[in-house]
Amino acid sequence: MVTSGATEPGNRFKITLKEPFFDLDKHRSLRLAAIALFVANGLGMSSWVAHIPLLKERLELNDQMLGLALLFAGIGALATMWISGWLVSRYGSRKIAILSGIFFPISLIGPGIATNFWSLAVSLLFLGAGNGLMDIAMNIQAASYERLIGKPVMSSFHAWWSLSCWCGSLCSGLFLAAPAMTWAHLPLIAVVGLSLTLFARGGLLPREAGANSTPVLSFPRGILAVFGLLCLLVMMAEGAVADWAGVHLRISYHVSDYMTVFGYNAFALFMTIGRFAGDTLARTFGRKTVIVGSAAVCGVCVGIAALAPTPWICIGAFGLAGFGMANLVPLLFSLAARRAGGGIEQATSSVFAMGYLGFLIGPPLVGFISSRTTLPTAILLLALGLFVVAGTVLRLNGSVGAVEGDEPGAEGAESRI
């Protein structure tokens, strides 16, 4: 047996035969557990989103009222995200991931049984709170895994989220095509989400709860604030497309109920493809190059979707926009986590909390603008925000060259962004 020499400077890499297997197994378990959380969250969000056009008509909501109801989901998410750094510091990310992974699927049932505007708003407040906390917790677990293996893999975790969104959207279309069974859709997804959380429980990375030295409310500073603002613009577009693509197809092209899911379905499908390719793209071209190119492509395609002459062109444009959107948040988040050094939990929560303002602002802002102009005009403004992201990232370092960790041997180098 090879003996461990970890305490001897000259033999620091000599370990027992059991240790490599143990480390590999531990890391694989963490990866599977984090993937399970991403899948549970993606299934839940895409399933809820598919019900928005139906609820809009059933509750007789105009664009502004629907936007206001969606605002409550953003408020709930923002509230839990702002305090997530404190919660993770106090209780550990594993406990928060499990708690939110249970609460979020249960909260999906509320919007489906809402009978008026206020019951919908309150149920969305709880749904948003559960989603916001789960979003932070599962991304901390993913970022921890990325740091353990020392390679950019964040896009692959978000790829599983996008794949689950596509599957959830497809499943939603089947339920909406059979109105007699629509009532069972969200409860069924809740059961699936709870099962995935229970599966993930044993593999999540345990973190010791520390003394409460983290402030309850944390705000990113310096370059982390820039990352937060960029995430805000990207999440604003992503959230608005998710919530309004179906409404746009219904209002602008008068498609049937089951076809309203196709816009977001195409968006999620191409986002999945882009994210599974994202880690390779980031290693090949550099994170910054991928971010700039992706934001530009997404902005063009969102603009085409807003003005498309037919529903099928609109759906196709939303799909290509998903491909451009795919790696923006994962790569921005990955750079922010690397820049944070040892304070990964705090940076994760603060940057994502600021970015999540986009989900808070985007959907109601689209409803507000649409009620005073047109829905295509509101969607065009989202495209403008994506061009701002591309231009800002391009100017941060003067070029689209590599940034921290993009080049071989650059691990551990100081970020030049």
mmCIF file of all heavy atoms in Angstrom, residues 14 19 22 46 52 103 128 146 158 161 168 171 193 214 234 237 243 259 265 269-270 309 320 364-365 379 389 409 414:
data_model
loop_
_atom_site.group_PDB
_atom_site.id
_atom_site.type_symbol
_atom_site.label_atom_id
_atom_site.label_comp_id
_atom_site.label_asym_id
_atom_site.label_seq_id
_atom_site.Cartn_x
_atom_site.Cartn_y
_atom_site.Cartn_z
ATOM 1 N N LYS A 14 1.924 11.950 -2.334
ATOM 2 C CA LYS A 14 1.803 10.515 -2.096
ATOM 3 C C LYS A 14 0.599 10.262 -1.201
ATOM 4 O O LYS A 14 0.496 10.818 -0.118
ATOM 5 C CB LYS A 14 3.066 9.986 -1.431
ATOM 6 C CG LYS A 14 4.295 10.017 -2.346
ATOM 7 C CD LYS A 14 5.490 9.417 -1.647
ATOM 8 C CE LYS A 14 6.719 9.434 -2.561
ATOM 9 N NZ LYS A 14 7.889 8.859 -1.886
ATOM 10 N N GLU A 19 -7.587 6.885 -1.330
ATOM 11 C CA GLU A 19 -7.937 8.307 -1.354
ATOM 12 C C GLU A 19 -8.395 8.799 -2.709
ATOM 13 O O GLU A 19 -9.372 9.535 -2.787
ATOM 14 C CB GLU A 19 -6.768 9.146 -0.831
ATOM 15 C CG GLU A 19 -6.582 9.004 0.665
ATOM 16 C CD GLU A 19 -5.490 9.915 1.183
ATOM 17 O OE1 GLU A 19 -5.472 11.093 0.799
ATOM 18 O OE2 GLU A 19 -4.644 9.447 1.951
ATOM 19 N N PHE A 22 -11.882 7.698 -3.203
ATOM 20 C CA PHE A 22 -12.791 8.399 -2.306
ATOM 21 C C PHE A 22 -13.090 9.803 -2.807
ATOM 22 O O PHE A 22 -14.237 10.244 -2.839
ATOM 23 C CB PHE A 22 -12.186 8.463 -0.909
ATOM 24 C CG PHE A 22 -12.995 9.269 0.068
ATOM 25 C CD1 PHE A 22 -14.128 8.740 0.658
ATOM 26 C CD2 PHE A 22 -12.638 10.579 0.361
ATOM 27 C CE1 PHE A 22 -14.881 9.496 1.545
ATOM 28 C CE2 PHE A 22 -13.388 11.335 1.242
ATOM 29 C CZ PHE A 22 -14.507 10.789 1.840
ATOM 30 N N SER A 46 -40.369 26.019 -15.467
ATOM 31 C CA SER A 46 -40.948 25.913 -16.815
ATOM 32 C C SER A 46 -42.400 25.475 -16.756
ATOM 33 O O SER A 46 -43.218 25.894 -17.594
ATOM 34 C CB SER A 46 -40.134 24.922 -17.659
ATOM 35 O OG SER A 46 -40.123 23.634 -17.070
ATOM 36 N N ILE A 52 -49.012 30.644 -17.459
ATOM 37 C CA ILE A 52 -49.249 32.085 -17.408
ATOM 38 C C ILE A 52 -50.311 32.548 -18.405
ATOM 39 O O ILE A 52 -51.257 33.257 -18.024
ATOM 40 C CB ILE A 52 -47.925 32.856 -17.602
ATOM 41 C CG1 ILE A 52 -47.009 32.632 -16.392
ATOM 42 C CG2 ILE A 52 -48.185 34.350 -17.796
ATOM 43 C CD1 ILE A 52 -45.658 33.306 -16.500
ATOM 44 N N PHE A 103 -39.431 23.451 -0.137
ATOM 45 C CA PHE A 103 -40.429 24.529 -0.145
ATOM 46 C C PHE A 103 -40.837 24.934 -1.559
ATOM 47 O O PHE A 103 -42.019 25.143 -1.832
ATOM 48 C CB PHE A 103 -39.861 25.743 0.606
ATOM 49 C CG PHE A 103 -40.806 26.905 0.674
ATOM 50 C CD1 PHE A 103 -41.863 26.906 1.569
ATOM 51 C CD2 PHE A 103 -40.663 27.996 -0.169
ATOM 52 C CE1 PHE A 103 -42.750 27.975 1.623
ATOM 53 C CE2 PHE A 103 -41.523 29.062 -0.127
ATOM 54 C CZ PHE A 103 -42.577 29.049 0.785
ATOM 55 N N GLY A 128 -41.799 32.723 -5.562
ATOM 56 C CA GLY A 128 -40.568 33.459 -5.820
ATOM 57 C C GLY A 128 -39.573 33.338 -4.683
ATOM 58 O O GLY A 128 -38.367 33.216 -4.912
ATOM 59 N N GLU A 146 -17.078 23.213 -9.051
ATOM 60 C CA GLU A 146 -16.171 23.764 -10.054
ATOM 61 C C GLU A 146 -14.822 24.096 -9.440
ATOM 62 O O GLU A 146 -13.767 23.839 -10.031
ATOM 63 C CB GLU A 146 -16.790 25.009 -10.691
ATOM 64 C CG GLU A 146 -15.955 25.586 -11.823
ATOM 65 C CD GLU A 146 -16.608 26.816 -12.452
ATOM 66 O OE1 GLU A 146 -16.832 27.795 -11.712
ATOM 67 O OE2 GLU A 146 -16.884 26.787 -13.654
ATOM 68 N N HIS A 158 -25.940 24.560 -15.656
ATOM 69 C CA HIS A 158 -27.052 25.342 -16.195
ATOM 70 C C HIS A 158 -27.648 24.682 -17.432
ATOM 71 O O HIS A 158 -28.807 24.916 -17.764
ATOM 72 C CB HIS A 158 -26.575 26.771 -16.493
ATOM 73 C CG HIS A 158 -26.369 27.588 -15.261
ATOM 74 N ND1 HIS A 158 -27.216 28.603 -14.893
ATOM 75 C CD2 HIS A 158 -25.410 27.534 -14.294
ATOM 76 C CE1 HIS A 158 -26.795 29.148 -13.765
ATOM 77 N NE2 HIS A 158 -25.697 28.512 -13.382
ATOM 78 N N TRP A 161 -30.266 22.501 -16.168
ATOM 79 C CA TRP A 161 -31.439 23.317 -15.832
ATOM 80 C C TRP A 161 -32.247 23.623 -17.094
ATOM 81 O O TRP A 161 -33.472 23.505 -17.106
ATOM 82 C CB TRP A 161 -30.979 24.614 -15.161
ATOM 83 C CG TRP A 161 -32.094 25.479 -14.656
ATOM 84 C CD1 TRP A 161 -32.722 25.406 -13.455
ATOM 85 C CD2 TRP A 161 -32.724 26.571 -15.355
ATOM 86 N NE1 TRP A 161 -33.694 26.362 -13.355
ATOM 87 C CE2 TRP A 161 -33.719 27.091 -14.504
ATOM 88 C CE3 TRP A 161 -32.537 27.144 -16.613
ATOM 89 C CZ2 TRP A 161 -34.523 28.169 -14.872
ATOM 90 C CZ3 TRP A 161 -33.338 28.218 -16.975
ATOM 91 C CH2 TRP A 161 -34.312 28.718 -16.117
ATOM 92 N N GLY A 168 -39.865 20.195 -19.141
ATOM 93 C CA GLY A 168 -41.037 20.684 -18.431
ATOM 94 C C GLY A 168 -41.997 21.412 -19.338
ATOM 95 O O GLY A 168 -43.222 21.272 -19.221
ATOM 96 N N CYS A 171 -43.782 18.788 -21.492
ATOM 97 C CA CYS A 171 -44.799 18.124 -20.669
ATOM 98 C C CYS A 171 -45.995 19.043 -20.442
ATOM 99 O O CYS A 171 -47.149 18.600 -20.475
ATOM 100 C CB CYS A 171 -44.180 17.700 -19.338
ATOM 101 S SG CYS A 171 -45.311 16.894 -18.189
ATOM 102 N N GLY A 193 -40.308 17.217 -8.048
ATOM 103 C CA GLY A 193 -39.301 18.098 -7.452
ATOM 104 C C GLY A 193 -38.904 17.659 -6.052
ATOM 105 O O GLY A 193 -37.722 17.666 -5.693
ATOM 106 N N THR A 214 -21.457 37.204 8.918
ATOM 107 C CA THR A 214 -21.889 37.756 7.644
ATOM 108 C C THR A 214 -23.076 38.678 7.857
ATOM 109 O O THR A 214 -24.026 38.313 8.551
ATOM 110 C CB THR A 214 -22.288 36.622 6.683
ATOM 111 O OG1 THR A 214 -21.180 35.765 6.495
ATOM 112 C CG2 THR A 214 -22.754 37.175 5.354
ATOM 113 N N VAL A 234 -29.110 40.592 -18.121
ATOM 114 C CA VAL A 234 -29.322 39.296 -18.765
ATOM 115 C C VAL A 234 -30.548 38.599 -18.174
ATOM 116 O O VAL A 234 -31.392 38.068 -18.905
ATOM 117 C CB VAL A 234 -28.074 38.406 -18.607
ATOM 118 C CG1 VAL A 234 -28.348 36.998 -19.121
ATOM 119 C CG2 VAL A 234 -26.899 39.022 -19.359
ATOM 120 N N ALA A 237 -33.861 39.968 -19.376
ATOM 121 C CA ALA A 237 -34.290 39.449 -20.670
ATOM 122 C C ALA A 237 -34.755 38.006 -20.563
ATOM 123 O O ALA A 237 -35.791 37.625 -21.121
ATOM 124 C CB ALA A 237 -33.152 39.565 -21.679
ATOM 125 N N ASP A 243 -41.664 34.575 -19.270
ATOM 126 C CA ASP A 243 -43.020 34.921 -18.846
ATOM 127 C C ASP A 243 -43.900 35.461 -19.970
ATOM 128 O O ASP A 243 -45.128 35.331 -19.911
ATOM 129 C CB ASP A 243 -42.961 35.961 -17.721
ATOM 130 C CG ASP A 243 -42.435 35.376 -16.418
ATOM 131 O OD1 ASP A 243 -42.250 34.139 -16.371
ATOM 132 O OD2 ASP A 243 -42.205 36.135 -15.462
ATOM 133 N N MET A 259 -50.045 25.834 -28.335
ATOM 134 C CA MET A 259 -48.938 26.422 -29.092
ATOM 135 C C MET A 259 -48.240 27.560 -28.346
ATOM 136 O O MET A 259 -47.128 27.959 -28.699
ATOM 137 C CB MET A 259 -49.422 26.937 -30.450
ATOM 138 C CG MET A 259 -49.449 25.872 -31.539
ATOM 139 S SD MET A 259 -49.623 26.613 -33.185
ATOM 140 C CE MET A 259 -48.036 27.436 -33.362
ATOM 141 N N ASN A 265 -40.478 26.875 -25.194
ATOM 142 C CA ASN A 265 -39.937 25.539 -25.424
ATOM 143 C C ASN A 265 -38.719 25.600 -26.341
ATOM 144 O O ASN A 265 -37.684 24.984 -26.083
ATOM 145 C CB ASN A 265 -41.022 24.641 -26.020
ATOM 146 C CG ASN A 265 -40.567 23.209 -26.178
ATOM 147 O OD1 ASN A 265 -39.999 22.840 -27.197
ATOM 148 N ND2 ASN A 265 -40.819 22.398 -25.171
ATOM 149 N N LEU A 269 -34.881 24.757 -25.369
ATOM 150 C CA LEU A 269 -34.172 23.709 -26.104
ATOM 151 C C LEU A 269 -32.819 24.204 -26.606
ATOM 152 O O LEU A 269 -31.783 23.558 -26.404
ATOM 153 C CB LEU A 269 -35.022 23.225 -27.276
ATOM 154 C CG LEU A 269 -34.349 22.219 -28.219
ATOM 155 C CD1 LEU A 269 -33.970 20.951 -27.463
ATOM 156 C CD2 LEU A 269 -35.270 21.889 -29.397
ATOM 157 N N PHE A 270 -32.809 25.362 -27.249
ATOM 158 C CA PHE A 270 -31.552 25.886 -27.783
ATOM 159 C C PHE A 270 -30.628 26.376 -26.673
ATOM 160 O O PHE A 270 -29.403 26.334 -26.814
ATOM 161 C CB PHE A 270 -31.832 27.000 -28.793
ATOM 162 C CG PHE A 270 -32.192 26.493 -30.157
ATOM 163 C CD1 PHE A 270 -33.485 26.119 -30.459
ATOM 164 C CD2 PHE A 270 -31.220 26.358 -31.143
ATOM 165 C CE1 PHE A 270 -33.824 25.623 -31.707
ATOM 166 C CE2 PHE A 270 -31.540 25.872 -32.393
ATOM 167 C CZ PHE A 270 -32.849 25.507 -32.689
ATOM 168 N N PRO A 309 -42.927 38.213 -38.777
ATOM 169 C CA PRO A 309 -44.208 38.278 -39.495
ATOM 170 C C PRO A 309 -45.112 37.073 -39.262
ATOM 171 O O PRO A 309 -46.317 37.159 -39.500
ATOM 172 C CB PRO A 309 -43.773 38.345 -40.970
ATOM 173 C CG PRO A 309 -42.431 37.679 -40.992
ATOM 174 C CD PRO A 309 -41.785 38.014 -39.679
ATOM 175 N N LEU A 320 -33.254 30.631 -31.214
ATOM 176 C CA LEU A 320 -31.879 31.097 -31.414
ATOM 177 C C LEU A 320 -31.458 32.082 -30.323
ATOM 178 O O LEU A 320 -30.287 32.136 -29.948
ATOM 179 C CB LEU A 320 -31.743 31.736 -32.789
ATOM 180 C CG LEU A 320 -31.910 30.772 -33.980
ATOM 181 C CD1 LEU A 320 -31.842 31.532 -35.290
ATOM 182 C CD2 LEU A 320 -30.851 29.673 -33.933
ATOM 183 N N PRO A 364 -42.628 42.581 -14.991
ATOM 184 C CA PRO A 364 -43.571 43.687 -14.805
ATOM 185 C C PRO A 364 -43.256 44.896 -15.681
ATOM 186 O O PRO A 364 -44.164 45.609 -16.101
ATOM 187 C CB PRO A 364 -43.439 44.031 -13.313
ATOM 188 C CG PRO A 364 -42.135 43.467 -12.889
ATOM 189 C CD PRO A 364 -41.915 42.266 -13.737
ATOM 190 N N LEU A 365 -41.965 45.127 -15.972
ATOM 191 C CA LEU A 365 -41.602 46.244 -16.830
ATOM 192 C C LEU A 365 -42.144 46.033 -18.245
ATOM 193 O O LEU A 365 -42.645 46.977 -18.876
ATOM 194 C CB LEU A 365 -40.086 46.419 -16.860
ATOM 195 C CG LEU A 365 -39.552 47.604 -17.674
ATOM 196 C CD1 LEU A 365 -40.058 48.911 -17.085
ATOM 197 C CD2 LEU A 365 -38.027 47.579 -17.706
ATOM 198 N N ILE A 379 -40.567 44.146 -25.906
ATOM 199 C CA ILE A 379 -39.586 43.084 -26.132
ATOM 200 C C ILE A 379 -38.332 43.644 -26.801
ATOM 201 O O ILE A 379 -37.213 43.203 -26.522
ATOM 202 C CB ILE A 379 -40.214 41.950 -26.964
ATOM 203 C CG1 ILE A 379 -41.341 41.280 -26.165
ATOM 204 C CG2 ILE A 379 -39.179 40.912 -27.361
ATOM 205 C CD1 ILE A 379 -42.114 40.231 -26.933
ATOM 206 N N VAL A 389 -24.952 44.780 -22.561
ATOM 207 C CA VAL A 389 -24.099 43.772 -21.926
ATOM 208 C C VAL A 389 -22.877 43.477 -22.796
ATOM 209 O O VAL A 389 -21.737 43.466 -22.320
ATOM 210 C CB VAL A 389 -24.888 42.473 -21.665
ATOM 211 C CG1 VAL A 389 -23.951 41.351 -21.198
ATOM 212 C CG2 VAL A 389 -25.980 42.713 -20.633
ATOM 213 N N GLY A 409 -2.711 27.046 -17.867
ATOM 214 C CA GLY A 409 -1.751 27.556 -16.906
ATOM 215 C C GLY A 409 -2.176 28.831 -16.225
ATOM 216 O O GLY A 409 -1.433 29.370 -15.421
ATOM 217 N N GLU A 414 -4.524 36.283 -11.324
ATOM 218 C CA GLU A 414 -5.459 37.339 -10.973
ATOM 219 C C GLU A 414 -6.254 37.758 -12.188
ATOM 220 O O GLU A 414 -5.721 37.908 -13.273
ATOM 221 C CB GLU A 414 -4.714 38.542 -10.400
ATOM 222 C CG GLU A 414 -5.661 39.658 -9.948
ATOM 223 C CD GLU A 414 -4.897 40.801 -9.338
ATOM 224 O OE1 GLU A 414 -3.676 40.672 -9.158
ATOM 225 O OE2 GLU A 414 -5.518 41.835 -9.074
#
